[in-house]
């Protein structure tokens, strides 16, 4: 049986750009990614997403402005822990993206996404994010660089996805 750890991932987008952060330390160091992290005890997932965004980029996103657009599940060969990642997007924020101890924020045009410096799975699901589609994806890795298998499916909405998941 897998143990589940819940994480958040937030992307701020404009019509033609997305804000990514270069991870400076810890898990994912030297990779471009969204902003996020662990959900703390007694914290809602959406509050965690908002908190992590501020901690890692110095910009404020209100929980009410975050749209849950994806659910990602990551498993790793030989590891009993599944990373359960809730992905949010928004185009509303306050402040200026600023370097922190953990992340270096930078805007990228949609056609200049640095896939070679991101997690291997990003090239499969990131186009859904850029198009504003809701989706569910599952990736199974060997180590952190080799995807053994994956599944991505577009869903009508995350609300509908979670309702259906609850029924089964």
């Amino acid at each position: 049986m897998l143990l589940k750890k819940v994480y958040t991932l937030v992307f701020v987008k404009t019509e033609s750009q997305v804000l990514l952060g270069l991870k400076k330390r810890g898990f994912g160091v030297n990779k471009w990614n969204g902003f996020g992290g662990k959900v703390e005890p007694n914290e809602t997932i959406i509050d965690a997403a908002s908190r992590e965004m501020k901690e890692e980029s110095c910009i404020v996103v209100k929980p009410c402005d975050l749209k849950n657009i994806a659910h990602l599940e990551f498993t790793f060969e030989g590891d009993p822990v599944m990373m359960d990642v809730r992905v949010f997007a928004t185009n509303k924020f306050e402040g200026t993206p600023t370097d922190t101890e953990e992340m270096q924020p930078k805007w990228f045009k949609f056609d200049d996404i640095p896939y070679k410096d991101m997690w291997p799975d990003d090239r499969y699901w990131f186009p859904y994010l850029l198009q504003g589609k809701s989706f569910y994806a599952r990736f199974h890795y060997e180590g952190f660089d080799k995807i053994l298998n994956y599944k991505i499916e577009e869903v009508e909405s995350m609300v509908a996805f979670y309702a259906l998941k609850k029924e089964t």
Side-chain angles (χ1 to χ4, degrees):
M1 183 167 141
L2 287 174
L3 302 170
K4 181 168 66 169
K5 287 192 177 178
V6 180
Y7 297 87
T8 64
L9 196 54
V10 180
F11 295 92
V12 175
K13 297 181 349 179
T14 67
E15 287 186 21
S16 62
Q17 294 183 313
V18 62
L19 184 66
L20 298 176
L22 182 64
K23 191 82 157 80
K24 294 180 176 182
R25 65 178 189 202
F27 185 72
V29 67
N30 295 323
K31 292 188 185 296
W32 289 100
N33 204 348
F35 303 85
K38 297 179 190 109
V39 177
E40 300 294 337
N42 302 316
E43 183 178 44
T44 65
I45 294 170
I46 201 152
D47 286 340
S50 178
R51 174 186 53 76
E52 289 280 357
M53 191 75 211
K54 184 174 183 185
E55 288 176 4
E56 294 182 351
S57 71
C58 299
I59 65 172
V60 175
V61 292
K62 296 176 185 171
C64 63
D65 291 330
L66 290 171
K67 180 182 178 191
N68 182 202
I69 62 156
H71 184 136
L72 305 174
E73 294 177 348
F74 297 96
T75 53
F76 300 88
E77 196 71 16
D79 188 340
V81 177
M82 177 183 69
M83 294 177 66
D84 180 335
V85 182
R86 310 301 170 89
V87 183
F88 298 89
T90 187
N91 61 2
K92 296 178 183 177
F93 66 95
E94 298 171 12
T96 302
T98 304
D99 276 27
T100 64
E101 288 182 13
E102 193 164 345
M103 300 284 264
Q104 174 191 336
K106 182 179 176 183
W107 289 100
F108 287 91
K109 292 181 180 178
F110 287 178
D111 54 0
D112 289 329
I113 303 299
Y115 289 113
K116 67 179 180 21
D117 298 318
M118 296 170 76
W119 288 102
D121 54 87
D122 289 351
R123 69 180 61 255
Y124 298 105
W125 63 262
F126 216 74
Y128 288 86
L129 172 110
L130 296 177
Q131 295 170 35
K133 296 179 177 178
S134 293
F135 61 96
Y136 163 75
R138 186 175 62 233
F139 293 88
H140 184 63
Y141 274 85
E142 179 177 73
F144 294 114
D145 294 319
K146 183 179 179 184
I147 298 171
L148 296 177
N149 59 66
Y150 71 95
K151 174 185 178 180
I152 300 175
E153 62 184 87
E154 188 174 339
V155 297
E156 182 182 328
S157 73
M158 293 317 299
V159 172
F161 171 78
Y162 290 122
L164 184 61
K165 193 172 182 178
K166 194 177 246 185
E167 292 175 6
T168 56

